[in-house]
Amino acid sequence: MNVRIDYELCMGDRNCSKVCPEVFQYDEDQMLSRVIVEVVPPHLEAKVRQAAEECVPGEILIEE
Ligand code: SF4
């Protein structure tokens, strides 16, 4: 699984980094969350899917 964020649409509400801090990290300077692990290890895939569901603008993009 690969994951990325459409940064132009990120609201910076930190939902993703609360659900899966191993993959998403909040950037205090830019006030948005960033993907820090683009190739998701299998044991984190469920958390990444949950983070994508909780992303209000739906801009966490998963490729399987
Ligand atoms: S959940 Fe979506 S909108 Fe919220 S910080 Fe993460 S990427 Fe941005």
Side-chain angles (χ1 to χ4, degrees):
M1 174 195 280
N2 288 3
V3 66
R4 60 190 172 90
I5 288 175
D6 182 344
Y7 295 112
E8 292 192 4
L9 296 176
C10 178
M11 299 163 51
D13 56 16
R14 307 185 193 206
N15 282 352
C16 54
S17 51
K18 287 178 197 157
V19 172
C20 190
E22 300 91 337
V23 171
F24 303 100
Q25 188 173 72
Y26 187 69
D27 182 331
E28 299 281 352
D29 293 333
Q30 300 296 318
M31 295 195 307
L32 49 75
S33 290
R34 295 196 178 280
V35 172
I36 55 173
V37 180
E38 290 181 14
V39 180
V40 180
H43 71 284
L44 293 176
E45 289 184 357
K47 287 174 80 173
V48 168
R49 285 195 186 90
Q50 184 186 345
E53 286 175 11
E54 296 192 16
C55 178
V56 176
E59 37 75 12
I60 293 178
L61 307 170
I62 292 173
E63 294 171 357
E64 310 255 7

